[in-house]
Amino acid sequence: MKKYLSKSSMFFLTLLFFASLTSSFIIILILINKNIIIDSSNFDLVQLLIRSSFTLIGASISAGIALILFSMQKHREEDAKERVQLLHVQKIKEEYTKNIEVANKLFDAMNPFESKAFAERLIGEDVKIKELILIYYTQLDFSLYESLVKDLEYNPELTELVTVISRLILIDKYLNVLLNNISDPKPMETLLDLIKRELSFIRELS
């Protein structure tokens, strides 16, 4: 739901404002005419009506124009904000698509190997395997998502991607640990199983 009033709502409020103002003026004149507020014998009601009408109409028009201009400005600000939001979502989707491609390539590279054999090759200083993992690790990029997502309002389309993005970020962390912090075959095998499971999950979702 929009934070600001729609054009139809503003038109209705403006009409209501003028109607209320006119009704109040008529009631006051009736009260004056009935000597409830002021003794009408001391006033020419016709002259009072004419003189007051110009002031009342001028004030009403000014207030109405100010209200309309304020509404238009708010709508322009809201439209500009929505355009920025859509642009940010589009950038995140483009980054997401690239990361999905990297994840699928990594899955294709790892899937033919058993985790135990893969771990043994990594520990055995297999340069090609390490370079392969390093290439895919460096290609994963979440800079746009991390910098823009905090400024985005609720977006159903983006919400559907967040689950996959969170899994991609988890894989990125696993790869970092795999490359830099593990030298024991068993923990490495376990971590490789986790990476392959997440990659498989991502492939199914995407």
Side-chain angles (χ1 to χ4, degrees):
M1 186 177 67
K2 286 188 175 295
K3 294 182 179 180
Y4 303 109
L5 297 173
S6 63
K7 293 181 180 179
S8 58
S9 299
M10 289 304 304
F11 176 77
F12 174 76
L13 288 176
T14 303
L15 187 63
L16 183 63
F17 170 76
F18 284 116
S20 300
L21 205 57
T22 303
S23 299
S24 300
F25 183 72
I26 292 173
I27 291 172
I28 291 174
L29 288 179
I30 291 174
L31 293 175
I32 293 175
N33 191 40
K34 296 296 184 180
N35 297 324
I36 296 177
I37 298 180
I38 302 175
D39 185 359
S40 60
S41 61
N42 296 327
F43 292 89
D44 185 337
L45 291 180
V46 175
Q47 290 183 3
L48 178 63
L49 176 61
I50 293 173
R51 291 174 182 174
S52 301
S53 293
F54 285 108
T55 302
L56 182 62
I57 291 172
S60 299
I61 291 175
S62 298
I65 291 174
L67 189 63
I68 292 171
L69 291 176
F70 176 78
S71 174
M72 291 174 64
Q73 178 64 25
K74 289 299 182 183
H75 279 297
R76 282 195 295 268
E77 292 175 359
E78 185 70 10
D79 290 341
K81 184 177 180 180
E82 287 182 0
R83 287 194 295 271
V84 170
Q85 294 274 316
L86 291 174
L87 180 61
H88 287 177
V89 170
Q90 184 60 35
K91 288 182 177 180
I92 290 175
K93 287 175 65 178
E94 291 173 358
E95 182 182 73
Y96 165 85
T97 300
K98 293 178 182 178
N99 285 331
I100 288 294
E101 292 175 357
V102 173
N104 286 333
K105 290 178 181 179
L106 178 59
F107 179 79
D108 291 337
M110 294 180 63
N111 196 46
F113 299 93
E114 293 291 335
S115 295
K116 182 177 181 180
F118 204 90
E120 290 174 351
R121 292 183 67 175
L122 280 173
I123 294 174
E125 300 296 327
D126 189 321
V127 177
K128 289 184 178 180
I129 291 292
K130 283 194 172 182
E131 286 181 349
L132 181 69
I133 298 297
L134 183 61
I135 287 171
Y136 292 129
Y137 170 67
T138 55
Q139 285 179 351
L140 289 173
D141 182 19
F142 307 96
S143 56
L144 288 175
Y145 173 78
E146 292 173 349
S147 64
L148 298 178
V149 70
K150 62 181 179 296
D151 297 323
L152 294 177
E153 297 179 350
Y154 172 75
N155 184 292
E157 187 177 8
L158 184 60
T159 302
E160 295 176 0
L161 304 181
V162 169
T163 300
V164 180
I165 293 174
S166 63
R167 297 284 185 128
L168 287 167
I169 292 175
L170 184 60
I171 290 172
D172 184 70
K173 293 179 179 178
Y174 284 162
L175 292 175
N176 180 54
V177 174
L178 184 68
L179 291 168
N180 300 301
N181 300 102
I182 295 183
S183 57
D184 189 8
K186 193 60 179 178
M188 184 176 289
E189 183 180 343
T190 301
L191 188 57
L192 286 168
D193 285 335
L194 290 174
I195 293 172
K196 291 170 72 173
R197 186 185 67 184
E198 293 299 329
L199 289 171
S200 177
F201 176 81
I202 288 171
R203 172 162 285 189
E204 290 176 3
L205 285 183
S206 58

